[in-house]
Amino acid sequence: MSTPHVVVVMGVAGTGKTTIGPLLAARLGVPYAEGDDFHPQANIAKMSAGVPLDDDDRWPWLDAIGAWAHERAGLGGVVSCSALKRSYRDRLRAEAPGVVFVHLSGDRALIEDRMAHRQGHFMPTALLDSQFATLQPLRADEAGVAVDVAGSPEEITERAVEALNGLPESVA
């Protein structure tokens, strides 16, 4: 990518957004923001109890992430955010029109296994089905790339950088 963009690392829980986001930010030489840190405490409590968020829960969270992305416009940055629905990505783009998405995607069994082995996270594996049911992959008219999560974090990050570098100049 030739100019500093804000990259939103998106995908269902367990795809590695929190792992890949900082690695990608380091490779791009920009700051990283953890999307989960933008959640109000009520959202964290709800997810910790195994209750999926609804859109009314998500709007303030997405607005806070969008505000961060807007502040980073022209400076660059990487933020993790599930951004599972097109309407969520549209909301982020409304706040920060230049965002580019990296959709971390992969085999459900691999993702579930990774979720089961992570520690200290509030999202239980029981919510993975609701995440996949909600997921609307990037469409051709959305600035972004899909990256397979199979492999090491370094391999995934390298694939993300290569994919971002392959975007047309009008996007990147």
Side-chain angles (χ1 to χ4, degrees), residues 66-154:
W68 183 88
H70 178 79
E71 290 172 6
R72 298 296 314 161
L75 303 171
V78 174
V79 62
S80 58
C81 173
S82 52
L84 298 178
K85 288 184 180 180
R86 170 72 184 246
S87 61
Y88 304 162
R89 297 187 297 271
D90 288 346
R91 187 129 179 169
L92 292 170
R93 278 190 292 269
E95 189 71 31
V99 297
V100 176
F101 295 89
V102 171
H103 177 191
L104 299 179
S105 62
D107 178 69
R108 189 194 185 290
L110 171 64
I111 294 166
E112 185 173 22
D113 182 64
R114 288 183 179 173
M115 278 185 78
H117 289 94
R118 67 185 181 178
Q119 298 176 351
H121 196 278
F122 55 81
M123 177 70 88
T125 57
L127 291 182
L128 190 56
D129 287 336
S130 73
Q131 294 254 304
F132 272 105
T134 302
L135 176 63
Q136 297 172 342
L138 289 173
R139 294 186 187 161
D141 66 331
E142 294 184 88
V145 296
V147 177
D148 188 352
V149 297
S152 71
E154 294 75 18

Side-chain angles (χ1 to χ4, degrees), residues 14-99:
T15 54
K17 297 181 296 290
T18 300
T19 300
I20 303 306
L23 293 173
L24 183 59
R27 282 281 299 190
L28 299 176
V30 296
Y32 170 73
E34 169 54 56
D36 287 342
D37 293 343
F38 293 88
H39 273 297
Q41 188 57 42
N43 285 8
I44 293 171
K46 198 171 182 179
M47 289 182 285
S48 296
V51 179
L53 300 180
D54 60 30
D55 286 350
D56 288 335
D57 298 320
R58 287 188 181 95
W59 298 136
W61 174 63
L62 290 165
D63 290 344
I65 291 171
W68 183 88
H70 178 79
E71 290 172 6
R72 298 296 314 161
L75 303 171
V78 174
V79 62
S80 58
C81 173
S82 52
L84 298 178
K85 288 184 180 180
R86 170 72 184 246
S87 61
Y88 304 162
R89 297 187 297 271
D90 288 346
R91 187 129 179 169
L92 292 170
R93 278 190 292 269
E95 189 71 31
V99 297

